[in-house]
Amino acid sequence: MVSKFLNLDSEKQNRILNAAINEFAEKGYENASTNDIVKEAGISKGLLFHYFKNKKQLFLFLYDYCIDVSLTEFYKKIDLNERDFFVRLRQIHLIKAELLNKYPKMLKFIEVANIEKSSDIENDLNVINKDELENASKRVFDGIDLSKFRDGIDIEKAINVVIWSFQGFNAKVLEEAKLSSSKQINYDKAFIEAEAYTEMLKSCFYK
Amino acid sequence: MVSKFLNLDSEKQNRILNAAINEFAEKGYENASTNDIVKEAGISKGLLFHYFKNKKQLFLFLYDYCIDVSLTEFYKKIDLNERDFFVRLRQIHLIKAELLNKYPKMLKFIEVANIEKSSDIENDLNVINKDELENASKRVFDGIDLSKFRDGIDIEKAINVVIWSFQGFNAKVLEEAKLSSSKQINYDKAFIEAEAYTEMLKSCFYK
Amino acid sequence: MVSKFLNLDSEKQNRILNAAINEFAEKGYENASTNDIVKEAGISKGLLFHYFKNKKQLFLFLYDYCIDVSLTEFYKKIDLNERDFFVRLRQIHLIKAELLNKYPKMLKFIEVANIEKSSDIENDLNVINKDELENASKRVFDGIDLSKFRDGIDIEKAINVVIWSFQGFNAKVLEEAKLSSSKQINYDKAFIEAEAYTEMLKSCFYK
Amino acid sequence: MVSKFLNLDSEKQNRILNAAINEFAEKGYENASTNDIVKEAGISKGLLFHYFKNKKQLFLFLYDYCIDVSLTEFYKKIDLNERDFFVRLRQIHLIKAELLNKYPKMLKFIEVANIEKSSDIENDLNVINKDELENASKRVFDGIDLSKFRDGIDIEKAINVVIWSFQGFNAKVLEEAKLSSSKQINYDKAFIEAEAYTEMLKSCFYK
DNA sequence: TATGAATGAGTCTTCATTCAT
DNA sequence: AATGAATGAAGACTCATTCAT
């Protein structure tokens, strides 16, 4: 069924893909309207269900697709020869920002999908989650130069602390942007602050 | 209107409260069914709308209610005389765990509400968010003994790193539980690990 | 049941009466809300149904009541000694205008009731219609001096033509007011025009 | 949306049209039930709203449709070469009676629509009213031979008197039928009476 | 392959009416 | 007499999904 979809000329394929990703990203699973998707994609009601047996399968397919595309791009861009952990981490964040720029809806869709509460979806998502994302986040730190870390330190934990710190930092930046009058991220300020955190954490965990 | 509800005998009040919190926590705003709520609460269709003029007002009331109840309990339990940051933080997490145990759906509801995408809800929620929660998270660290922090360190940033680290740690514990066969949190292991993180961070930031 | 209502102190009686007449006049039978009536009257839900077994009975009672009150006032004001048909007719219209001023909702209610399509109501209304209004419209022209009419004319038909003409004229005045910018009746102009019609019809039917 | 409806095979189109006109004519706008309409038309709930976005749009469409159909038929039948006012007027009433026979519900619907109090409807109706009906009622008396009227008479007023008289006469005939045992109009008697009124008015206003 | 008419269970909400107090 | 909590059928409308063409 889905294979039929993959044989479509890519222009139509993309129209459908974009329309659907957009709709789900904007409204979440339950609230997204297949009606609006076909309208936006310029195809008929029946055709969508010709390619995807139901809304759920469409959603799950899109999730797979978005993960694939973004991970592929991600690994294309990352420089695994860079062995310094903090430099690598900064790289990762920069690439994320690039992807967010290039595929804003796609990443929003992934985020929305991971939050999705609809019991219809939740279970089936976890399966893919494990297989695809888990080893992705491992590979991302392959080949890091561990000798730079202070002796006696639990390196795994240290790495986690750094990663979590930057997760938290990102969330803070986003939240501040949302509450600001301009609703815009102040990238310069954020970058300077990020460097300060980096220095602090480096002084904690590096020799 | 809501005042009518508050005059109800508390048994029925609780049945309605629990049914509604449960439903919203499980399915989110849009997908929650007022039909299912009344069925679960064992009341008639009309009665729900006798107390709450519509689904939205019910949701907003519940949000207020849940915030109130959990913050009240939180401040009743927290010992603001404890001035050590790490001890205080451990306290906070333990209280959170307790509350999660006592009112599992309530906290899930709050979380779900804060994520809610439904444009119907989003705006009205932010207002309450800011006023109530913002200064709550400030008070929680009132009276901390800052003299214990290493000289020359940016204390605010250090505190953020610790908080974010434990946020990440908690998420990891939950995720691991979800993927485990037992679906249960292994509290002993988690506690030991948490202590290790605490020690590591203390050695980073404390004198 | 209704007799209970009539024993009420007249202040409360009036509050209920006015609230109900108002509501029905404004929204018609089906669309009127008993909820709004009790709210406006400042009484409880139950009390209304204590006095009137249901919405229909309330409506029918009000119809009776309004007909009674307005007819009573009407006969109190009309001068049955005036024997000239056209003078009497002018009198009738002036009294109608007075009543409309004094009891605007009441007359609007009667009008709305007579138009009412709700099958629930329609039949039961006709019964009262016949008994009460029929002989009212007869008495109104009691004692007219028929000798003033041209010989050989069918007086009944002539009278009908005059009555219908003024009915039509009134409707025209109202319609013009509705479509005008001020939404107000231009009474001066209307009066002059009415006199012209009167003269024309007099010259047709009078000796 | 409505265009979808117009492409329907006319059998089903008519089923829907008749069911809806019937329901609205019988119960008025607010009280009419879309449930009953689809039941009567033998279509599903969803289909009605596939063609008409809501109850209001359906009602407004029907109004347009009914006006169109009845005016078209009316002008097809009327003989604008007949220049005598009274003959023309008789013609008009005969055609009305025919239409009433052919499309009883349609005309009742139009009447009901013009009376409609529902604020939802009232405004949107007036617009169409003015444009369509106003100049219709003018054209209907185009080309009347005014030279037949008595000199010195206000012809416009005279015409109004005649029109209003027959309006009143029609209402009387209908009312009498409603109150009669047979509930049927006695056409023979009505015709004779109408002729008598015609003669009387002719002798008033014609040379 | 492609269409879009058709379905009907489901949505939230209203409202006249009842009844225990 | 008076209250107002409680009912549940009915209201308009939505939407994923099917199917004849």
Side-chain angles (χ1 to χ4, degrees):
Chain A
M1 231 180 171
V2 168
S3 65
K4 288 183 219 156
F5 176 74
L6 298 170
N7 288 337
L8 230 52
D9 69 295
S10 64
E11 191 274 332
K12 187 183 251 183
Q13 222 179 101
N14 277 327
R15 255 166 41 218
I16 297 175
L17 243 22
N18 289 332
I21 288 171
N22 219 319
E23 178 76 5
F24 282 123
E26 225 59 59
K27 309 194 191 159
Y29 177 68
E30 294 283 355
N31 223 218
S33 155
T34 53
N35 243 337
D36 290 355
I37 292 173
V38 299
K39 220 176 288 167
E40 174 80 16
I43 59 168
S44 76
K45 211 80 215 289
L47 198 54
L48 187 70
F49 289 92
H50 182 69
Y51 293 129
F52 305 97
K53 103 165 185 283
N54 53 30
K55 198 183 180 182
K56 179 179 172 181
Q57 211 211 67
L58 168 62
F59 186 90
L60 259 18
F61 170 82
L62 289 176
Y63 187 69
D64 251 0
Y65 169 82
C66 291
I67 296 279
D68 270 7
V69 168
S70 45
L71 284 190
T72 304
E73 283 250 2
F74 195 88
Y75 286 119
K76 217 187 294 170
K77 284 175 194 277
I78 202 165
D79 173 13
L80 292 171
N81 295 322
E82 172 55 63
R83 299 195 61 219
D84 182 84
F85 173 66
F86 286 95
V87 179
R88 181 85 132 261
L89 191 62
R90 188 196 299 135
Q91 227 188 85
I92 289 170
H93 283 119
L94 288 175
I95 296 173
K96 266 191 193 163
E98 268 181 71
L99 289 181
L100 211 72
N101 227 29
K102 196 167 169 191
Y103 308 115
K105 297 298 174 181
M106 194 175 276
L107 294 206
K108 195 173 179 190
F109 171 82
I110 292 174
E111 189 197 341
V112 163
N114 283 327
I115 278 170
E116 188 56 55
K117 322 204 51 55
S118 172
S119 54
D120 209 15
I121 289 293
E122 223 185 352
N123 299 331
D124 299 74
L125 228 43
N126 283 334
V127 179
I128 314 177
N129 250 336
K130 262 188 275 190
D131 286 20
E132 199 123 7
L133 279 180
E134 201 124 310
N135 58 3
S137 54
K138 272 176 206 149
R139 276 182 57 201
V140 130
F141 288 114
D142 271 4
I144 285 300
D145 180 1
L146 303 179
S147 68
K148 290 185 172 177
F149 283 82
R150 235 188 253 280
D151 296 326
I153 217 167
D154 182 333
I155 296 184
E156 198 196 328
K157 285 196 172 52
I159 287 182
N160 278 340
V161 162
V162 179
I163 292 174
W164 292 332
S165 293
F166 279 102
Q167 258 173 27
F169 175 70
N170 283 340
K172 194 188 85 158
V173 169
L174 252 55
E175 185 63 20
E176 281 172 0
K178 210 163 119 187
L179 298 180
S180 76
S181 52
S182 69
K183 310 272 164 195
Q184 297 285 320
I185 294 175
N186 182 338
Y187 283 104
D188 293 343
K189 182 178 160 248
F191 192 78
I192 291 169
E193 230 183 322
E195 287 301 305
Y197 277 103
T198 301
E199 287 316 309
M200 171 184 273
L201 290 163
K202 222 185 245 176
S203 77
C204 282
F205 301 132
Y206 265 20
K207 279 172 184 160
Chain B
M1 228 178 172
V2 168
S3 65
K4 286 183 211 161
F5 176 73
L6 298 170
N7 288 336
L8 229 53
D9 68 295
S10 64
E11 192 273 330
K12 186 182 254 185
Q13 217 179 103
N14 278 328
R15 255 165 44 218
I16 297 174
L17 241 23
N18 290 332
I21 289 172
N22 217 321
E23 179 76 5
F24 281 124
E26 226 60 60
K27 309 195 190 158
Y29 178 69
E30 295 280 358
N31 207 218
S33 158
T34 53
N35 266 357
D36 290 354
I37 292 174
V38 299
K39 221 175 287 166
E40 174 79 15
I43 59 168
S44 74
K45 215 84 214 289
L47 193 54
L48 187 68
F49 292 94
H50 184 63
Y51 292 129
F52 305 96
K53 98 166 189 284
N54 53 31
K55 197 185 180 182
K56 180 180 172 180
Q57 211 211 67
L58 168 62
F59 187 89
L60 258 20
F61 169 82
L62 289 177
Y63 187 69
D64 250 0
Y65 169 81
C66 290
I67 295 279
D68 269 7
V69 169
S70 44
L71 284 189
T72 305
E73 284 249 3
F74 196 89
Y75 285 117
K76 217 187 294 171
K77 285 175 194 277
I78 202 165
D79 173 13
L80 292 171
N81 295 320
E82 173 55 63
R83 301 195 60 217
D84 182 84
F85 174 65
F86 287 95
V87 179
R88 180 82 135 265
L89 191 61
R90 187 196 299 136
Q91 231 188 81
I92 290 171
H93 283 118
L94 287 175
I95 295 173
K96 265 192 193 163
E98 266 179 71
L99 289 181
L100 210 72
N101 227 29
K102 197 167 167 190
Y103 311 114
K105 298 298 175 179
M106 192 175 279
L107 294 206
K108 195 172 179 191
F109 171 82
I110 292 175
E111 189 197 342
V112 164
N114 283 326
I115 279 170
E116 188 55 57
K117 323 188 55 54
S118 171
S119 54
D120 207 14
I121 289 293
E122 222 187 351
N123 299 333
D124 299 74
L125 229 43
N126 281 334
V127 179
I128 314 179
N129 250 338
K130 264 185 264 184
D131 284 21
E132 198 123 7
L133 280 180
E134 203 125 305
N135 59 0
S137 54
K138 272 174 207 149
R139 276 182 59 199
V140 129
F141 288 113
D142 272 4
I144 285 301
D145 180 2
L146 302 178
S147 68
K148 290 185 171 178
F149 283 83
R150 234 188 255 280
D151 295 327
I153 218 166
D154 183 332
I155 295 184
E156 199 196 326
K157 284 196 173 52
I159 286 181
N160 278 340
V161 162
V162 178
I163 291 174
W164 291 332
S165 294
F166 279 101
Q167 257 173 27
F169 175 69
N170 282 339
K172 194 188 86 160
V173 169
L174 250 56
E175 186 64 21
E176 281 171 1
K178 211 160 118 189
L179 298 179
S180 76
S181 53
S182 69
K183 311 272 166 194
Q184 296 286 319
I185 294 174
N186 182 338
Y187 283 104
D188 292 342
K189 182 176 161 249
F191 191 79
I192 292 168
E193 231 183 321
E195 286 302 305
Y197 276 102
T198 301
E199 285 316 308
M200 170 184 273
L201 289 162
K202 221 184 248 177
S203 76
C204 284
F205 301 132
Y206 264 20
K207 279 173 185 160
Chain C
M1 230 178 173
V2 168
S3 66
K4 288 184 218 155
F5 176 73
L6 297 171
N7 288 336
L8 232 51
D9 68 295
S10 64
E11 193 272 331
K12 189 184 249 183
Q13 222 178 99
N14 277 328
R15 256 166 41 219
I16 297 175
L17 244 21
N18 289 333
I21 288 172
N22 219 319
E23 178 76 5
F24 282 123
E26 226 59 60
K27 308 194 192 159
Y29 178 70
E30 294 283 353
N31 224 217
S33 156
T34 53
N35 243 337
D36 290 354
I37 291 173
V38 300
K39 220 176 286 165
E40 174 79 17
I43 59 167
S44 75
K45 213 80 214 291
L47 197 52
L48 187 69
F49 289 92
H50 182 67
Y51 292 129
F52 305 96
K53 106 165 185 283
N54 52 30
K55 197 185 183 182
K56 179 179 170 182
Q57 213 211 66
L58 167 62
F59 186 89
L60 259 18
F61 170 82
L62 289 176
Y63 186 69
D64 250 359
Y65 169 81
C66 291
I67 295 280
D68 270 6
V69 168
S70 44
L71 284 189
T72 303
E73 283 251 2
F74 195 88
Y75 286 119
K76 216 187 293 170
K77 283 176 195 276
I78 201 165
D79 174 11
L80 292 171
N81 295 320
E82 173 53 64
R83 300 195 61 219
D84 182 85
F85 173 66
F86 286 95
V87 179
R88 181 84 133 262
L89 191 62
R90 189 197 298 136
Q91 228 188 84
I92 289 170
H93 284 121
L94 289 175
I95 296 173
K96 266 191 192 164
E98 268 181 70
L99 289 182
L100 210 74
N101 228 30
K102 196 166 169 191
Y103 309 115
K105 298 297 175 181
M106 193 175 278
L107 294 207
K108 196 173 178 189
F109 171 82
I110 292 175
E111 190 198 342
V112 163
N114 283 326
I115 279 170
E116 188 56 56
K117 320 203 55 53
S118 172
S119 52
D120 209 14
I121 288 293
E122 222 186 351
N123 300 331
D124 298 73
L125 228 44
N126 283 333
V127 179
I128 313 177
N129 251 335
K130 261 188 272 186
D131 286 19
E132 199 125 4
L133 279 180
E134 200 123 308
N135 58 2
S137 53
K138 272 173 205 151
R139 275 182 59 199
V140 130
F141 288 114
D142 272 2
I144 284 301
D145 180 1
L146 303 179
S147 69
K148 288 186 173 179
F149 283 84
R150 235 188 255 280
D151 296 327
I153 220 166
D154 182 333
I155 295 183
E156 198 196 327
K157 286 196 171 56
I159 288 181
N160 278 340
V161 162
V162 178
I163 293 174
W164 291 333
S165 294
F166 279 101
Q167 258 173 26
F169 175 70
N170 282 340
K172 194 189 85 162
V173 169
L174 251 56
E175 185 65 20
E176 281 171 0
K178 210 164 121 189
L179 299 180
S180 76
S181 52
S182 68
K183 309 272 166 197
Q184 296 286 320
I185 293 175
N186 181 339
Y187 283 105
D188 294 340
K189 183 178 159 246
F191 191 78
I192 292 168
E193 229 183 323
E195 286 301 304
Y197 276 102
T198 301
E199 286 316 307
M200 172 185 270
L201 289 163
K202 222 185 247 178
S203 77
C204 282
F205 299 132
Y206 264 19
K207 278 171 187 164
Chain D
M1 229 181 172
V2 167
S3 66
K4 286 184 210 159
F5 177 74
L6 298 171
N7 288 336
L8 228 53
D9 68 294
S10 64
E11 192 272 331
K12 188 182 254 185
Q13 218 179 103
N14 278 328
R15 255 166 43 219
I16 297 174
L17 242 23
N18 289 333
I21 289 173
N22 217 321
E23 179 76 4
F24 282 123
E26 225 60 58
K27 309 196 190 157
Y29 178 69
E30 295 281 358
N31 208 217
S33 158
T34 53
N35 268 357
D36 290 354
I37 291 174
V38 300
K39 220 175 287 164
E40 173 80 16
I43 59 169
S44 74
K45 214 83 213 289
L47 193 53
L48 187 69
F49 291 95
H50 183 63
Y51 292 128
F52 304 96
K53 98 166 189 284
N54 52 31
K55 197 184 179 182
K56 180 179 172 180
Q57 210 211 67
L58 168 62
F59 186 89
L60 259 18
F61 170 81
L62 289 176
Y63 187 69
D64 250 0
Y65 169 81
C66 290
I67 295 279
D68 270 7
V69 168
S70 44
L71 283 189
T72 305
E73 284 248 0
F74 195 88
Y75 285 118
K76 216 188 293 169
K77 284 176 195 276
I78 202 166
D79 173 14
L80 291 171
N81 295 321
E82 173 54 64
R83 301 194 60 220
D84 182 85
F85 174 65
F86 286 95
V87 179
R88 181 86 134 259
L89 191 63
R90 188 196 299 136
Q91 228 188 84
I92 290 170
H93 283 118
L94 288 176
I95 295 173
K96 265 191 192 162
E98 268 180 71
L99 289 181
L100 210 74
N101 227 29
K102 197 165 168 191
Y103 310 113
K105 299 297 175 181
M106 193 174 277
L107 294 205
K108 194 171 177 190
F109 171 82
I110 293 176
E111 189 197 341
V112 164
N114 283 326
I115 280 171
E116 188 56 55
K117 322 190 55 56
S118 171
S119 53
D120 206 15
I121 289 294
E122 222 187 350
N123 299 333
D124 299 74
L125 228 44
N126 282 334
V127 179
I128 314 178
N129 249 337
K130 265 186 262 184
D131 285 20
E132 198 125 7
L133 278 180
E134 202 126 305
N135 58 3
S137 54
K138 272 175 207 149
R139 273 182 60 199
V140 131
F141 288 114
D142 272 4
I144 284 301
D145 179 3
L146 302 179
S147 68
K148 289 186 173 179
F149 283 82
R150 237 188 254 280
D151 295 327
I153 219 166
D154 183 334
I155 294 183
E156 199 195 327
K157 285 196 173 54
I159 286 180
N160 279 340
V161 163
V162 178
I163 292 174
W164 292 332
S165 294
F166 279 102
Q167 260 174 27
F169 175 69
N170 283 339
K172 193 189 86 161
V173 169
L174 251 57
E175 187 64 21
E176 281 171 0
K178 212 160 120 188
L179 298 181
S180 76
S181 51
S182 69
K183 309 271 167 196
Q184 296 287 320
I185 293 174
N186 181 339
Y187 283 104
D188 293 340
K189 181 176 160 250
F191 192 78
I192 291 168
E193 231 183 321
E195 285 302 305
Y197 276 102
T198 302
E199 285 316 308
M200 171 184 272
L201 291 162
K202 220 185 249 178
S203 76
C204 283
F205 300 132
Y206 264 21
K207 277 173 187 161

